[in-house]
Amino acid sequence: MSASTLSSTARVRGPDPGARVQFLPGVGPKRALVYERLGLVTVEDLLRHYPRAYLDASRFVKIRDLVPGLLLTVTGKVASAAALRTRAGRTDFVAAISDGTGILSCYFFGQPFLVRTFKPGAQVVVSGVLDPLERRMSNPLFEVLEGEIAAHLHAGRLVPVHALTKGLSARALRQAARHAI
């Protein structure tokens, strides 16, 4: 094997399995303490933290074809997005997604920070269950599209469901696992 082939192979390889989780992108020393509560100290520990289940969000449909009660996925553009203050004092977030066949309302309880993520005109993938009465998805899985759908982690695919702990989100764990692989 030539030196150039060897060096390009080394760049493709992931982190050392014995390396500490804190050295993965997006983790760091403070967040590593949260991973340690689950017994995830090394990269190998993280890779062996197997999902307890999977959500099959790989079934794509048009908004007009959404069926209440089924986990389905829609791709569309953000038509509007806003944070809403409720009577109880909580701030929720609502976004309208359009794909040319209809408009889907997505409601996120207590997540007003999503207003920075769901910019009008952004292309998104949203996976969730349509509520038959309100004709909206509540707290759906989502991914803002910047590349190919197959490269995304959080929606529009078989999504792993891991055991979590306070301070660790499913999105953060999936992202760390992707970096570890």
Side-chain angles (χ1 to χ4, degrees):
M1 192 180 295
S2 71
S4 65
T5 306
L6 183 61
S7 66
S8 67
T9 304
R11 282 186 297 229
V12 173
R13 218 179 84 211
D16 176 41
R20 295 184 65 81
V21 172
Q22 80 176 47
F23 297 113
L24 290 172
V27 178
K30 286 185 179 179
R31 189 166 288 153
L33 296 174
V34 177
Y35 283 84
E36 284 182 25
R37 285 191 294 214
L38 289 172
L40 308 176
V41 177
T42 66
V43 169
E44 182 176 2
D45 295 336
L46 177 62
L47 292 174
R48 293 187 183 277
H49 185 63
Y50 302 114
R52 60 184 172 162
Y54 290 90
L55 295 175
D56 186 2
S58 61
R59 189 166 163 211
F60 284 80
V61 298
K62 296 289 186 187
I63 290 174
R64 72 168 171 244
D65 299 328
L66 282 171
V67 177
L70 296 178
L71 178 62
L72 298 171
T73 301
V74 171
T75 302
K77 288 191 177 193
V78 177
S80 65
L84 304 172
R85 190 90 166 145
T86 66
R87 285 186 222 177
R90 182 183 68 223
T91 304
D92 296 339
F93 174 75
V94 65
I97 312 297
S98 173
D99 71 352
T101 67
I103 295 177
L104 171 67
S105 178
C106 298
Y107 198 88
F108 297 85
F109 296 95
Q111 300 179 54
F113 56 87
L114 290 178
V115 77
R116 294 187 302 266
T117 304
F118 281 80
K119 300 282 187 197
Q123 189 76 15
V124 295
V125 173
V126 180
S127 300
V129 178
L130 184 69
D131 183 300
L133 299 175
E134 300 194 15
R135 299 291 300 166
R136 70 180 185 193
M137 287 185 182
S138 295
N139 292 325
L141 300 168
F142 69 90
E143 187 82 35
V144 176
L145 293 179
E146 296 169 2
E148 293 200 21
I149 293 171
H152 295 292
L153 284 175
H154 311 294
R157 62 184 290 256
L158 203 57
V159 180
V161 178
H162 292 89
L164 300 172
T165 187
K166 183 177 180 181
L168 181 62
S169 70
R171 293 177 77 84
L173 186 64
R174 286 191 294 266
Q175 191 69 41
R178 160 125 350 131
H179 286 299
I181 291 171

